[in-house]
Amino acid sequence: SSELTQPPSMSVSPGQTARITCSGDLLSRQYAFWYQQKVGQAPKLVIFVDTERPPDIPERFSGSTSGTTVTLTISGVQPEDEADYYCHSGDAGGTLWVFGGGTKLTVL
Amino acid sequence: EVQFVESGGALVNIGGSLTLSCEGSGLTFMNASMSWVRQAPGKGLEWVGRITKKIEGGRTDYATPVKGRFTISRDDAKNRLFLHMTDLKAGDTAMYYCTQGMHWGQGTLVTVSS
C-alpha cells in the first residue's frame, strides 16, 4: 500500500506533550518527513529522514520510527505550535511522493 | 537563504491551459530535484510531480490524476522550474507550491471554473 494514515485532529494544553502518528507500509522502507503548516502559510519542514531536525526548528520537535509507524513528538507544546502537520514519504520505489492526510493540532 | 517564488496562477476555464513558473535563489538550482505540490482549498497536500537534476537525466514523474495533462520542465540557466497544465478540470483548483523538500515557495493560486 502507498498510503499514509494520520489522525485527523488532536488537542493538547500548553506545556503538554503532543504525539502525532503516521502509519503506512512504505515507512518500513522509506524515510519520513514532517511538515508544519500554519493558517495561510506554506508548509515548513520540521523533521527529515525520520529523526533529523533542521537548524531553525526548536528542540521540542522530535521524530521517531518503529516499523511501519513514525511519530512526531512536540514536548512542552507552545501556543504557536497550533497548526496542521503532514507526514510525507516516498513510494516503494522512492520515486513518487506520498503525503498523509494531515493532523490538525489544537492548543487549548 | 534559499527562496522559491511561484508565479502564473490565474482563473482559467475548464479545458483551458496554464503554465506556472517557480524561480529559485540562494541555492545551486541545477543540483536540486524539484517537485510541485498542490493544496485544494481546505484540503491536504497532494504531490503533483517532480523533475530530477539534469545530471540524473532530468527525468519526470507525475501523480496519476495529472499524468498526460501536466508537464514539468526546468531552465537551469535561469534558475526556473515550470508546470505546464492542459485540459484543466475543476478538481485542479488549488494553491500550487514548488519545493525541493527542505524549502517551499509561498504558492500560486490556480482556479478552474466554468
Side-chain angles (χ1 to χ4, degrees):
Chain A
S1 170
S2 60
E3 294 181 348
L4 296 177
T5 301
Q6 300 180 234
S9 64
M10 73 168 40
S11 58
V12 295
S13 299
Q16 289 188 327
T17 296
R19 294 182 179 84
I20 302 173
T21 59
C22 174
S23 299
D25 291 342
L26 57 88
L27 294 174
S28 65
R29 300 183 295 276
Q30 301 291 339
Y31 285 121
F33 302 75
W34 288 95
Y35 296 95
Q36 175 194 67
Q37 187 179 34
K38 297 182 179 181
V39 174
Q41 296 185 18
K44 181 178 183 179
L45 183 70
V46 293
I47 294 291
F48 62 103
V49 296
D50 290 344
T51 60
E52 298 300 308
R53 188 177 58 247
D56 61 330
I57 300 302
E59 290 184 4
R60 62 180 181 273
F61 288 84
S62 63
S64 61
T65 180
S66 178
T68 59
T69 299
V70 294
T71 302
L72 172 68
T73 300
I74 311 173
S75 304
V77 168
Q78 301 296 306
E80 61 264 30
D81 299 332
E82 185 164 285
D84 294 326
Y85 291 86
Y86 295 90
C87 63
H88 152 230
S89 188
D91 71 338
T95 298
L96 311 182
W97 286 15
V98 181
F99 286 98
T103 299
K104 182 177 183 61
L105 177 67
T106 301
V107 181
L108 301 171
Chain B
E1 180 189 7
V2 176
Q3 285 191 330
F4 296 110
V5 178
E6 302 92 339
S7 61
L11 172 64
V12 295
N13 290 328
I14 291 174
S17 300
L18 191 66
T19 297
L20 307 182
S21 176
C22 167
E23 183 173 9
S25 60
L27 78 165
T28 305
F29 191 80
M30 64 185 295
N31 290 342
S33 286
M34 296 294 300
S35 286
W36 287 97
V37 175
R38 68 184 181 182
Q39 186 171 34
K43 301 298 184 182
L45 301 174
E46 180 186 22
W47 179 72
V48 172
R50 70 97 183 255
I51 185 166
T52 65
K53 314 169 202 178
K54 279 278 172 51
I55 198 170
E56 293 177 344
R59 190 180 75 243
T60 53
D61 295 285
Y62 301 95
T64 299
V66 308
K67 199 174 295 185
R69 300 188 299 122
F70 290 11
T71 302
I72 297 173
S73 61
R74 62 190 300 159
D75 182 344
D76 291 335
K78 296 182 178 179
N79 289 354
R80 282 190 180 267
L81 175 73
F82 302 98
L83 178 65
H84 181 56
M85 305 181 290
T86 63
D87 188 22
L88 284 161
K89 307 176 187 301
D92 296 319
T93 293
M95 184 72 78
Y96 285 75
Y97 298 98
C98 69
T99 177
Q100 99 289 40
M102 179 75 75
H103 300 93
W104 294 57
Q106 286 303 303
T108 188
L109 182 63
V110 174
T111 304
V112 183
S113 174
S114 56

